[in-house]
Amino acid sequence: MDNEIVNRVANSKLLTIDLEDFYPDGERILLDISDWLFEGIILKEKDFRESLQNHDWTQYKNAYIALACKTDAIIPSWAYLLISTYLSPYAKKVVVGNLELLETSIFQDIINNLDFTVYKDSPVIIKGCSSKPIPETASVMLVEKLVSVAKNIMFGEACSTVPLYKKTR
C-alpha cells in the first residue's frame, strides 16, 4: 500500500481568483473641497477658481482621489468637473464620493478588463480573506462575470469553500 500524501487541491483543475492580486499601487486620498469654500459652506466662484489655480496638484501624482465635501454645502456639479480638470493630469482616477466608492470604481475597471475565457468550464474559487481593502461589491461584480463561463463558483479557501453556483447543463 502506498502511504504517499497526495495534495488533491494542488492537482485539481481548481482556479483561484484573489482580488488582492489585482490591487493597484497608488495612494487613496479623500480630498475635502470645503477648504476651498467661503467659511467652508459657500462656493464663491471667483475665490474658488483662484484657490484651485493656486493649489499644488502635483502632490496627487499617481494617486486615486475621492472628492467630497465634509460640510453641508450645496456644491454645483461644475465645481467637481472643474477640480477634475486640475487632477486629471496627475491622478490615476477621480470620483465624487467616499473612499469605498473609489475602491469600488477601481475594481469595476479591473474586473471589466479581465480575460474571463481562462475560467471557461472550470471550477473557480474566489478567495475570501484579504489584507487589503477589497470592496464587497468587487466580488459581486466578479461573480456576475464568472457565471457565464465557469463550471462552478465557490468562495473561501481551497480547504474550506462555500458553494455559490454550479452550471446545470
Side-chain angles (χ1 to χ4, degrees):
M1 180 154 35
D2 193 356
N3 290 332
E4 182 182 341
I5 296 173
V6 177
N7 185 339
R8 288 184 292 156
V9 171
N11 294 333
S12 75
K13 293 182 179 181
L14 279 173
L15 298 176
T16 300
I17 300 175
D18 184 353
L19 286 173
E20 194 171 75
D21 291 342
F22 301 101
Y23 192 86
D25 291 334
E27 186 179 2
R28 275 62 167 171
I29 298 171
L30 182 65
L31 185 55
D32 179 18
I33 71 163
S34 66
D35 295 340
W36 297 318
L37 305 178
F38 177 70
E39 295 182 359
I41 57 169
I42 299 169
L43 190 149
K44 291 184 174 182
E45 184 177 350
K46 183 180 178 196
D47 295 343
F48 182 74
R49 285 180 180 274
E50 188 176 304
S51 294
L52 296 181
Q53 287 172 347
N54 294 327
H55 189 73
D56 177 16
W57 297 100
T58 61
Q59 65 184 305
Y60 306 109
K61 186 168 179 59
N62 296 320
Y64 294 90
I65 310 295
L67 298 174
C69 183
K70 293 182 182 177
T71 65
D72 289 332
I74 297 172
I75 307 297
S77 297
W78 64 262
Y80 292 113
L81 301 176
L82 182 60
I83 294 168
S84 71
T85 66
Y86 286 96
L87 283 168
S88 65
Y90 304 103
K92 289 183 178 179
K93 183 168 200 67
V94 180
V95 300
V96 176
N98 59 25
L99 292 173
E100 185 176 350
L101 176 67
L102 176 63
E103 286 298 338
T104 299
S105 181
I106 291 168
F107 272 92
Q108 184 173 27
D109 292 346
I110 290 167
I111 291 167
N112 284 337
N113 288 307
L114 286 178
D115 177 11
F116 285 91
T117 59
V118 297
Y119 304 108
K120 185 166 178 50
D121 299 323
S122 296
V124 179
I125 297 174
I126 299 172
K127 190 169 184 264
C129 297
S130 177
S131 60
K132 295 181 179 170
I134 309 297
E136 285 188 45
T137 303
S139 296
V140 171
M141 290 185 282
L142 187 59
V143 167
E144 285 180 319
K145 298 284 189 175
L146 286 169
V147 163
S148 65
V149 294
K151 179 179 179 181
N152 54 31
I153 304 168
M154 297 159 280
F155 179 77
E157 303 296 325
C159 61
S160 172
T161 61
V162 175
L164 301 175
Y165 168 81
K166 184 170 184 138
K167 189 177 278 185
T168 55
R169 62 170 176 131

